[in-house]
Coordinates of all heavy atoms in Angstrom, one line a residue:
P30 N 3.7 -40.0 -59.6 CA 4.3 -41.2 -59.1 C 3.9 -41.5 -57.6 O 3.7 -40.5 -56.9 CB 5.8 -41.0 -59.2 CG 5.9 -39.9 -60.2 CD 4.7 -39.0 -60.0
W31 N 3.8 -42.8 -57.3 CA 3.4 -43.1 -55.9 C 4.3 -42.4 -54.8 O 3.8 -41.9 -53.8 CB 3.4 -44.6 -55.7 CG 2.3 -45.3 -56.3 CD1 2.4 -46.3 -57.3 CD2 0.9 -45.2 -56.0 NE1 1.1 -46.7 -57.7 CE2 0.2 -46.1 -56.9 CE3 0.2 -44.5 -55.1 CZ2 -1.2 -46.2 -56.8 CZ3 -1.2 -44.6 -55.1 CH2 -1.9 -45.5 -55.9
V32 N 5.6 -42.4 -55.1 CA 6.5 -41.8 -54.1 C 6.2 -40.3 -53.9 O 6.2 -39.8 -52.7 CB 8.0 -42.1 -54.4 CG1 8.4 -41.3 -55.7 CG2 8.9 -41.7 -53.3
D33 N 5.9 -39.6 -54.9 CA 5.5 -38.2 -54.8 C 4.2 -38.0 -54.1 O 4.0 -37.1 -53.4 CB 5.5 -37.5 -56.2 CG 6.9 -37.4 -56.8 OD1 7.9 -37.6 -56.1 OD2 7.0 -37.1 -58.0
Y34 N 3.2 -38.9 -54.5 CA 1.9 -38.8 -53.9 C 2.0 -39.0 -52.3 O 1.5 -38.2 -51.6 CB 1.0 -39.9 -54.5 CG -0.3 -40.0 -53.9 CD1 -1.3 -39.0 -54.0 CD2 -0.7 -41.2 -53.1 CE1 -2.6 -39.2 -53.5 CE2 -1.9 -41.3 -52.5 CZ -2.9 -40.3 -52.7 OH -4.1 -40.4 -52.1
F35 N 2.7 -40.1 -51.9 CA 2.8 -40.4 -50.5 C 3.6 -39.3 -49.7 O 3.3 -38.9 -48.6 CB 3.3 -41.8 -50.2 CG 2.3 -42.8 -50.8 CD1 2.8 -43.9 -51.5 CD2 1.0 -42.8 -50.5 CE1 2.0 -44.8 -52.0 CE2 0.1 -43.7 -51.0 CZ 0.6 -44.8 -51.8
M36 N 4.7 -38.9 -50.4 CA 5.5 -37.8 -49.7 C 4.7 -36.5 -49.7 O 4.8 -35.7 -48.7 CB 6.8 -37.6 -50.5 CG 7.8 -36.8 -49.7 SD 8.2 -37.4 -48.0 CE 9.3 -38.7 -48.4
G37 N 3.9 -36.3 -50.7 CA 3.0 -35.1 -50.7 C 2.0 -35.2 -49.5 O 1.7 -34.2 -48.9
V38 N 1.5 -36.4 -49.2 CA 0.6 -36.5 -48.1 C 1.4 -36.3 -46.8 O 0.9 -35.6 -45.9 CB 0.0 -37.9 -48.1 CG1 -0.8 -38.2 -46.8 CG2 -1.0 -38.1 -49.2
A39 N 2.6 -36.8 -46.7 CA 3.4 -36.5 -45.5 C 3.7 -35.0 -45.3 O 3.6 -34.4 -44.3 CB 4.7 -37.3 -45.6
K40 N 4.0 -34.4 -46.5 CA 4.3 -32.9 -46.5 C 3.0 -32.1 -46.0 O 3.1 -31.2 -45.3 CB 4.8 -32.5 -47.8 CG 5.3 -31.1 -47.9 CD 6.7 -31.0 -47.3 CE 7.2 -29.6 -47.6 NZ 8.2 -29.2 -46.6
L41 N 1.9 -32.5 -46.6 CA 0.6 -31.9 -46.2 C 0.3 -32.1 -44.7 O -0.1 -31.1 -44.1 CB -0.5 -32.4 -47.1 CG -1.8 -31.7 -47.0 CD1 -1.7 -30.3 -47.4 CD2 -2.9 -32.5 -47.9
A42 N 0.6 -33.3 -44.2 CA 0.4 -33.5 -42.8 C 1.3 -32.6 -41.9 O 0.8 -32.1 -40.9 CB 0.6 -35.0 -42.5
S43 N 2.5 -32.4 -42.4 CA 3.4 -31.5 -41.6 C 2.9 -30.1 -41.4 O 3.2 -29.5 -40.4 CB 4.8 -31.5 -42.3 OG 4.8 -30.6 -43.4
L44 N 2.0 -29.7 -42.3 CA 1.5 -28.3 -42.2 C 0.5 -28.2 -41.0 O 0.1 -27.1 -40.7 CB 0.8 -27.9 -43.5 CG 1.7 -27.8 -44.7 CD1 0.9 -27.5 -46.0 CD2 2.8 -26.9 -44.5
R45 N 0.1 -29.3 -40.4 CA -0.7 -29.3 -39.2 C 0.1 -29.0 -38.0 O -0.5 -28.6 -36.9 CB -1.5 -30.6 -39.0 CG -2.6 -30.9 -40.0 CD -3.8 -30.1 -39.7 NE -4.2 -30.2 -38.3 CZ -4.8 -29.2 -37.6 NH1 -5.0 -28.0 -38.1 NH2 -5.1 -29.4 -36.3
S46 N 1.4 -29.2 -38.0 CA 2.2 -29.0 -36.9 C 2.3 -27.5 -36.5 O 2.5 -26.6 -37.4 CB 3.6 -29.5 -37.2 OG 4.5 -29.2 -36.1
K47 N 2.3 -27.2 -35.2 CA 2.4 -25.9 -34.7 C 3.8 -25.6 -34.3 O 4.1 -24.5 -33.7 CB 1.4 -25.6 -33.6 CG 0.0 -25.7 -34.1 CD -1.0 -25.2 -33.1 CE -2.4 -25.0 -33.7 NZ -3.2 -26.2 -33.8
D48 N 4.8 -26.5 -34.5 CA 6.2 -26.3 -34.2 C 6.7 -25.2 -35.1 O 6.8 -25.4 -36.3 CB 6.9 -27.6 -34.3 CG 8.4 -27.5 -33.8 OD1 9.0 -26.4 -33.8 OD2 8.9 -28.5 -33.3
P49 N 7.2 -24.0 -34.5 CA 7.7 -22.9 -35.3 C 9.0 -23.2 -35.9 O 9.5 -22.5 -36.8 CB 7.7 -21.8 -34.3 CG 7.8 -22.4 -33.0 CD 7.1 -23.7 -33.0
H50 N 9.7 -24.2 -35.4 CA 11.1 -24.5 -35.9 C 11.2 -25.6 -36.9 O 11.9 -25.5 -37.9 CB 12.0 -24.9 -34.7 CG 12.0 -23.8 -33.6 ND1 12.6 -22.6 -33.8 CD2 11.4 -23.8 -32.4 CE1 12.4 -21.9 -32.7 NE2 11.6 -22.6 -31.8
T51 N 10.4 -26.7 -36.7 CA 10.5 -27.8 -37.6 C 9.1 -28.5 -37.7 O 8.7 -29.1 -36.8 CB 11.5 -28.9 -37.1 OG1 12.8 -28.2 -36.9 CG2 11.7 -30.0 -38.2
Q52 N 8.5 -28.4 -38.9 CA 7.2 -29.1 -39.1 C 7.5 -30.4 -39.8 O 8.2 -30.4 -40.8 CB 6.3 -28.3 -40.0 CG 5.8 -27.0 -39.3 CD 4.9 -26.2 -40.2 OE1 5.3 -25.8 -41.2 NE2 3.6 -26.0 -39.7
V53 N 7.1 -31.5 -39.2 CA 7.4 -32.8 -39.8 C 6.1 -33.6 -40.0 O 5.2 -33.5 -39.1 CB 8.3 -33.7 -38.8 CG1 8.6 -35.0 -39.4 CG2 9.6 -32.9 -38.6
G54 N 6.0 -34.3 -41.1 CA 4.8 -35.1 -41.3 C 5.2 -36.5 -41.7 O 6.4 -36.7 -42.2
A55 N 4.3 -37.5 -41.5 CA 4.6 -38.9 -41.9 C 3.4 -39.5 -42.4 O 2.2 -39.2 -42.0 CB 5.1 -39.7 -40.7
C56 N 3.6 -40.5 -43.3 CA 2.5 -41.2 -44.0 C 2.9 -42.7 -44.1 O 4.0 -43.0 -44.6 CB 2.2 -40.7 -45.4 SG 1.0 -41.5 -46.3
I57 N 2.1 -43.6 -43.5 CA 2.4 -45.0 -43.6 C 1.5 -45.7 -44.6 O 0.3 -45.5 -44.7 CB 2.2 -45.7 -42.2 CG1 3.1 -45.0 -41.1 CG2 2.5 -47.2 -42.3 CD1 2.8 -45.5 -39.7
V58 N 2.2 -46.5 -45.5 CA 1.5 -47.1 -46.7 C 1.8 -48.6 -46.7 O 2.9 -49.1 -46.4 CB 2.1 -46.5 -47.9 CG1 1.5 -47.1 -49.2 CG2 1.9 -45.0 -47.9
N59 N 0.7 -49.4 -47.0 CA 0.9 -50.8 -47.1 C 1.3 -51.3 -48.5 O 1.5 -50.4 -49.4 CB -0.4 -51.6 -46.6 CG -1.6 -51.4 -47.6 OD1 -1.4 -51.0 -48.7 ND2 -2.7 -51.7 -47.1
S60 N 1.5 -52.5 -48.7 CA 2.0 -53.1 -49.9 C 1.1 -52.9 -51.1 O 1.5 -53.1 -52.3 CB 2.4 -54.6 -49.8 OG 1.2 -55.3 -49.4
E61 N -0.2 -52.6 -50.8 CA -1.2 -52.3 -51.9 C -1.3 -50.8 -52.2 O -2.3 -50.4 -52.9 CB -2.5 -52.9 -51.5 CG -2.5 -54.4 -51.2 CD -3.8 -54.9 -50.6 OE1 -4.5 -54.1 -50.0 OE2 -4.0 -56.1 -50.8
N62 N -0.3 -50.0 -51.8 CA -0.3 -48.6 -52.0 C -1.6 -47.9 -51.4 O -2.1 -47.0 -51.9 CB -0.2 -48.2 -53.5 CG 1.2 -48.4 -54.0 OD1 2.2 -48.3 -53.2 ND2 1.3 -48.9 -55.2
K63 N -2.0 -48.4 -50.2 CA -3.1 -47.8 -49.5 C -2.5 -47.2 -48.2 O -1.7 -47.7 -47.5 CB -4.1 -48.9 -49.1 CG -4.7 -49.7 -50.3 CD -6.2 -49.6 -50.3 CE -6.8 -50.5 -51.3 NZ -6.5 -50.2 -52.7
I64 N -3.0 -46.0 -48.0 CA -2.5 -45.2 -46.8 C -3.2 -45.9 -45.5 O -4.4 -46.0 -45.5 CB -2.9 -43.7 -46.9 CG1 -2.1 -43.1 -48.1 CG2 -2.6 -43.0 -45.6 CD1 -2.5 -41.7 -48.4
V65 N -2.3 -46.2 -44.6 CA -2.7 -46.9 -43.4 C -2.9 -45.8 -42.3 O -3.8 -45.9 -41.4 CB -1.7 -47.9 -43.0 CG1 -2.1 -48.6 -41.6 CG2 -1.6 -49.0 -44.0
S66 N -2.0 -44.8 -42.3 CA -2.1 -43.8 -41.2 C -1.2 -42.6 -41.6 O -0.3 -42.7 -42.5 CB -1.5 -44.4 -39.9 OG -1.7 -43.5 -38.8
V67 N -1.5 -41.5 -41.0 CA -0.7 -40.3 -41.1 C -0.4 -39.6 -39.7 O -1.2 -39.9 -38.8 CB -1.3 -39.2 -42.1 CG1 -1.4 -39.7 -43.5 CG2 -2.7 -38.8 -41.6
G68 N 0.6 -38.8 -39.6 CA 0.8 -38.1 -38.4 C 1.7 -36.9 -38.6 O 2.3 -36.8 -39.7
Y69 N 1.7 -36.0 -37.6 CA 2.6 -34.9 -37.6 C 3.1 -34.6 -36.2 O 2.6 -35.2 -35.3 CB 1.9 -33.6 -38.2 CG 0.6 -33.3 -37.4 CD1 0.7 -32.4 -36.4 CD2 -0.6 -33.8 -37.8 CE1 -0.5 -32.0 -35.7 CE2 -1.8 -33.4 -37.1 CZ -1.7 -32.6 -36.1 OH -2.8 -32.2 -35.4
N70 N 4.2 -33.8 -36.1 CA 4.7 -33.6 -34.8 C 3.9 -32.5 -34.0 O 3.6 -31.5 -34.6 CB 6.2 -33.2 -34.9 CG 6.5 -31.9 -35.7 OD1 5.9 -31.7 -36.7 ND2 7.4 -31.1 -35.2
G71 N 3.6 -32.9 -32.8 CA 2.8 -32.0 -32.0 C 2.6 -32.5 -30.6 O 3.0 -33.6 -30.3
L72 N 1.9 -31.8 -29.8 CA 1.6 -32.2 -28.4 C 0.6 -33.4 -28.4 O -0.2 -33.5 -29.3 CB 1.0 -31.0 -27.7 CG 1.9 -29.8 -27.4 CD1 1.1 -28.7 -26.8 CD2 3.1 -30.2 -26.6
P73 N 0.6 -34.1 -27.3 CA -0.4 -35.2 -27.2 C -1.8 -34.6 -27.2 O -2.0 -33.5 -26.8 CB -0.1 -35.8 -25.8 CG 1.4 -35.5 -25.6 CD 1.6 -34.2 -26.3
T74 N -2.7 -35.4 -27.7 CA -4.1 -35.0 -27.9 C -4.7 -34.5 -26.5 O -4.5 -35.1 -25.5 CB -5.0 -36.2 -28.3 OG1 -4.5 -36.7 -29.5 CG2 -6.4 -35.8 -28.5
G75 N -5.3 -33.3 -26.6 CA -6.0 -32.8 -25.5 C -5.2 -31.7 -24.7 O -5.8 -31.0 -23.8
L76 N -3.9 -31.6 -24.9 CA -3.1 -30.6 -24.2 C -3.2 -29.3 -24.9 O -3.3 -29.2 -26.1 CB -1.6 -31.1 -24.2 CG -1.3 -32.4 -23.5 CD1 0.2 -32.6 -23.4 CD2 -1.9 -32.4 -22.1
K77 N -3.3 -28.2 -24.1 CA -3.4 -26.9 -24.6 C -2.0 -26.3 -24.9 O -1.2 -26.2 -24.1 CB -4.1 -26.0 -23.6 CG -5.6 -26.5 -23.4 CD -6.2 -25.6 -22.3 CE -7.6 -26.1 -22.1 NZ -8.3 -25.5 -20.9
E78 N -1.9 -25.9 -26.2 CA -0.5 -25.5 -26.7 C 0.0 -24.3 -25.9 O 1.2 -24.2 -25.7 CB -0.6 -25.2 -28.2 CG -0.3 -26.4 -29.0 CD -1.3 -26.6 -30.1 OE1 -1.5 -25.6 -30.8 OE2 -1.7 -27.8 -30.3
E79 N -0.9 -23.4 -25.5 CA -0.4 -22.2 -24.8 C 0.2 -22.6 -23.4 O 0.9 -21.7 -22.8 CB -1.6 -21.2 -24.6 CG -2.7 -21.7 -23.8 CD -3.8 -22.4 -24.6 OE1 -3.6 -22.7 -25.8 OE2 -4.9 -22.6 -24.0
N80 N 0.0 -23.8 -22.9 CA 0.6 -24.2 -21.6 C 2.0 -24.8 -21.8 O 2.5 -25.2 -20.7 CB -0.3 -25.2 -20.9 CG -1.7 -24.6 -20.5 OD1 -1.8 -23.3 -20.4 ND2 -2.7 -25.4 -20.4
Y81 N 2.5 -24.9 -23.0 CA 3.8 -25.6 -23.2 C 4.7 -24.8 -24.0 O 4.3 -24.0 -24.9 CB 3.5 -27.0 -23.9 CG 2.7 -27.9 -23.0 CD1 1.3 -27.8 -23.1 CD2 3.3 -28.7 -22.1 CE1 0.5 -28.6 -22.2 CE2 2.5 -29.5 -21.2 CZ 1.2 -29.4 -21.3 OH 0.4 -30.2 -20.4
P82 N 6.0 -24.9 -23.8 CA 7.0 -24.2 -24.5 C 7.3 -24.8 -25.9 O 7.2 -26.0 -26.1 CB 8.3 -24.3 -23.6 CG 8.1 -25.6 -23.0 CD 6.6 -25.8 -22.7
W83 N 7.7 -23.9 -26.8 CA 8.1 -24.4 -28.2 C 9.5 -24.1 -28.4 O 10.0 -24.3 -29.5 CB 7.2 -23.7 -29.2 CG 5.8 -24.4 -29.3 CD1 4.7 -23.8 -28.8 CD2 5.5 -25.6 -29.8 NE1 3.6 -24.7 -29.0 CE2 4.1 -25.8 -29.6 CE3 6.2 -26.7 -30.5 CZ2 3.4 -27.0 -30.0 CZ3 5.5 -27.8 -30.9 CH2 4.2 -27.9 -30.6
Q84 N 10.3 -23.6 -27.4 CA 11.7 -23.3 -27.7 C 12.5 -24.6 -27.8 O 12.1 -25.6 -27.2 CB 12.2 -22.4 -26.6 CG 12.3 -23.0 -25.2 CD 12.8 -22.0 -24.2 OE1 12.4 -20.9 -24.2 NE2 13.6 -22.5 -23.2
E85 N 13.6 -24.5 -28.5 CA 14.4 -25.7 -28.8 C 15.4 -25.9 -27.7 O 15.6 -27.1 -27.3 CB 15.1 -25.5 -30.1 CG 14.1 -25.5 -31.3 CD 14.9 -25.4 -32.6 OE1 15.3 -24.3 -32.9 OE2 15.0 -26.4 -33.3
I86 N 16.1 -24.9 -27.3 CA 17.2 -25.1 -26.3 C 17.1 -24.0 -25.3 O 16.1 -23.3 -25.2 CB 18.6 -25.1 -27.0 CG1 18.7 -23.8 -28.0 CG2 18.8 -26.3 -27.8 CD1 20.1 -23.7 -28.6
N87 N 18.2 -23.8 -24.5 CA 18.3 -22.8 -23.5 C 17.3 -23.1 -22.3 O 16.2 -22.5 -22.2 CB 18.0 -21.4 -24.0 CG 19.0 -21.0 -25.1 OD1 20.2 -21.4 -25.0 ND2 18.7 -20.2 -26.0
G88 N 17.7 -24.0 -21.5 CA 16.9 -24.3 -20.3 C 16.9 -25.8 -20.0 O 17.5 -26.6 -20.8
Q89 N 16.2 -26.1 -19.0 CA 16.1 -27.5 -18.6 C 15.1 -28.2 -19.6 O 14.3 -27.5 -20.3 CB 15.5 -27.6 -17.2 CG 16.3 -27.0 -16.1 CD 17.7 -27.7 -15.9 OE1 17.7 -28.9 -16.0 NE2 18.7 -27.0 -15.8
L90 N 15.2 -29.5 -19.7 CA 14.4 -30.3 -20.6 C 12.9 -29.9 -20.5 O 12.2 -29.6 -21.5 CB 14.5 -31.8 -20.4 CG 13.6 -32.7 -21.2 CD1 14.0 -32.5 -22.7 CD2 13.7 -34.1 -20.8
H91 N 12.4 -29.7 -19.3 CA 10.9 -29.4 -19.1 C 10.6 -27.9 -19.6 O 9.5 -27.6 -19.7 CB 10.5 -29.6 -17.7 CG 11.1 -28.6 -16.7 ND1 12.4 -28.7 -16.2 CD2 10.6 -27.5 -16.2 CE1 12.6 -27.7 -15.4 NE2 11.5 -26.9 -15.4
E92 N 11.6 -27.2 -19.9 CA 11.4 -25.8 -20.4 C 11.5 -25.7 -21.9 O 11.5 -24.6 -22.5 CB 12.5 -24.9 -19.8 CG 12.3 -24.8 -18.3 CD 13.5 -24.0 -17.6 OE1 14.6 -24.1 -18.2 OE2 13.3 -23.4 -16.6
T93 N 11.7 -26.9 -22.6 CA 11.8 -26.9 -24.0 C 10.7 -27.8 -24.6 O 10.1 -28.6 -23.9 CB 13.2 -27.5 -24.5 OG1 13.2 -28.9 -24.1 CG2 14.3 -26.7 -23.8
K94 N 10.5 -27.8 -25.9 CA 9.5 -28.6 -26.6 C 9.8 -30.1 -26.5 O 8.9 -30.9 -26.6 CB 9.4 -28.2 -28.1 CG 10.7 -28.5 -28.9 CD 10.5 -28.1 -30.3 CE 11.7 -28.4 -31.2 NZ 11.5 -28.1 -32.6
Y95 N 11.1 -30.5 -26.4 CA 11.5 -31.9 -26.4 C 10.8 -32.8 -25.4 O 10.7 -34.0 -25.6 CB 13.0 -32.0 -26.4 CG 13.7 -31.2 -27.5 CD1 14.4 -30.1 -27.2 CD2 13.5 -31.6 -28.8 CE1 15.0 -29.4 -28.3 CE2 14.1 -30.9 -29.9 CZ 14.8 -29.8 -29.6 OH 15.4 -29.1 -30.6
A96 N 10.4 -32.2 -24.3 CA 9.8 -33.0 -23.2 C 8.3 -33.3 -23.5 O 7.8 -34.2 -22.9 CB 9.9 -32.3 -21.9
Y97 N 7.8 -32.6 -24.5 CA 6.3 -32.7 -24.7 C 5.9 -33.1 -26.1 O 4.8 -33.7 -26.2 CB 5.7 -31.3 -24.4 CG 6.1 -30.8 -23.0 CD1 7.1 -29.8 -22.9 CD2 5.6 -31.3 -21.9 CE1 7.5 -29.3 -21.7 CE2 6.0 -30.9 -20.6 CZ 7.0 -29.9 -20.5 OH 7.4 -29.4 -19.3
V98 N 6.6 -32.8 -27.1 CA 6.2 -33.1 -28.5 C 6.3 -34.5 -28.9 O 7.3 -35.2 -28.6 CB 7.0 -32.2 -29.5 CG1 6.7 -32.6 -30.9 CG2 6.7 -30.7 -29.3
V99 N 5.2 -35.1 -29.5 CA 5.3 -36.4 -30.1 C 5.7 -36.3 -31.5 O 5.1 -35.5 -32.3 CB 3.9 -37.1 -30.0 CG1 3.9 -38.5 -30.6 CG2 3.4 -37.1 -28.5
H100 N 6.7 -37.0 -32.0 CA 7.1 -36.9 -33.3 C 6.1 -37.5 -34.3 O 5.3 -38.3 -34.0 CB 8.5 -37.6 -33.5 CG 9.6 -36.9 -32.8 ND1 10.9 -37.4 -32.8 CD2 9.6 -35.8 -32.1 CE1 11.7 -36.6 -32.1 NE2 10.9 -35.6 -31.6
A101 N 6.2 -37.0 -35.6 CA 5.3 -37.4 -36.6 C 5.3 -38.9 -36.9 O 4.2 -39.5 -37.0 CB 5.7 -36.7 -37.9
E102 N 6.4 -39.5 -36.9 CA 6.5 -41.0 -37.1 C 5.8 -41.7 -36.0 O 5.0 -42.7 -36.3 CB 8.0 -41.4 -37.2 CG 8.8 -40.8 -38.3 CD 9.4 -39.5 -37.9 OE1 9.1 -38.9 -36.8 OE2 10.3 -39.0 -38.6
L103 N 6.0 -41.4 -34.8 CA 5.3 -42.1 -33.7 C 3.8 -41.8 -33.7 O 3.0 -42.7 -33.5 CB 5.9 -41.6 -32.3 CG 5.3 -42.4 -31.1 CD1 5.4 -43.9 -31.2 CD2 6.0 -41.9 -29.8
N104 N 3.5 -40.5 -34.0 CA 2.0 -40.2 -34.1 C 1.4 -41.0 -35.2 O 0.3 -41.5 -35.0 CB 1.8 -38.7 -34.4 CG 1.5 -38.0 -33.1 OD1 0.8 -38.5 -32.2 ND2 1.9 -36.7 -33.1
A105 N 2.0 -41.2 -36.3 CA 1.5 -42.0 -37.4 C 1.3 -43.5 -36.9 O 0.3 -44.1 -37.2 CB 2.3 -42.0 -38.7
I106 N 2.3 -44.0 -36.2 CA 2.1 -45.4 -35.7 C 1.0 -45.4 -34.7 O 0.1 -46.4 -34.8 CB 3.5 -45.8 -35.0 CG1 4.5 -46.0 -36.1 CG2 3.3 -47.1 -34.2 CD1 5.9 -46.2 -35.6
L107 N 0.9 -44.5 -33.8 CA -0.2 -44.5 -32.8 C -1.6 -44.2 -33.4 O -2.6 -44.7 -32.8 CB 0.1 -43.4 -31.7 CG 1.4 -43.7 -30.9 CD1 1.7 -42.5 -30.0 CD2 1.2 -45.0 -30.0
N108 N -1.6 -43.5 -34.5 CA -2.9 -43.2 -35.2 C -3.4 -44.3 -36.0 O -4.6 -44.3 -36.5 CB -2.7 -42.0 -36.1 CG -2.6 -40.7 -35.3 OD1 -2.9 -40.6 -34.1 ND2 -2.0 -39.7 -36.0
T109 N -2.7 -45.4 -36.1 CA -3.1 -46.6 -36.9 C -4.3 -47.2 -36.3 O -4.4 -47.4 -35.1 CB -2.0 -47.6 -37.1 OG1 -0.8 -46.9 -37.6 CG2 -2.3 -48.7 -37.9
N110 N -5.3 -47.6 -37.1 CA -6.4 -48.4 -36.6 C -5.9 -49.6 -35.9 O -5.1 -50.3 -36.4 CB -7.3 -48.8 -37.8 CG -8.5 -49.5 -37.4 OD1 -8.5 -50.5 -36.7 ND2 -9.6 -49.1 -38.0
R111 N -6.5 -49.9 -34.7 CA -6.0 -51.0 -33.9 C -6.1 -52.3 -34.6 O -5.5 -53.3 -34.2 CB -6.8 -51.0 -32.5 CG -6.6 -49.7 -31.7 CD -5.2 -49.6 -31.2 NE -5.1 -48.4 -30.4 CZ -4.2 -47.4 -30.7 NH1 -3.5 -47.5 -31.7 NH2 -4.2 -46.4 -29.9
N112 N -7.0 -52.4 -35.6 CA -7.1 -53.7 -36.3 C -6.2 -53.9 -37.5 O -6.2 -54.9 -38.1 CB -8.6 -53.8 -36.8 CG -9.6 -53.9 -35.7 OD1 -9.3 -54.4 -34.6 ND2 -10.7 -53.3 -35.9

Side-chain angles (χ1 to χ4, degrees):
W31 285 116
V32 66
D33 289 348
Y34 175 70
F35 296 131
M36 193 57 77
V38 171
K40 189 76 171 155
L41 189 61
S43 77
L44 298 179
R45 286 287 307 146
S46 173
K47 293 192 171 84
D48 188 329
H50 305 287
T51 307
Q52 291 181 301
V53 181
C56 175
I57 302 175
V58 178
N59 68 18
S60 60
E61 298 173 338
N62 286 327
K63 303 234 187 295
I64 295 173
V65 176
S66 186
V67 294
Y69 58 90
N70 59 320
L72 294 174
T74 303
L76 299 185
K77 296 178 181 171
E78 274 136 43
E79 62 271 12
N80 294 339
Y81 296 90
W83 284 103
Q84 68 186 36
E85 295 182 283
I86 51 175
N87 299 329
Q89 299 295 319
L90 178 64
H91 70 279
E92 297 171 328
T93 69
K94 67 179 184 176
Y95 302 111
Y97 309 104
V98 171
V99 180
H100 290 181
E102 301 88 347
L103 183 56
N104 261 329
I106 291 168
L107 294 172
N108 288 340
T109 304
N110 181 313
R111 300 291 179 239
N112 297 325

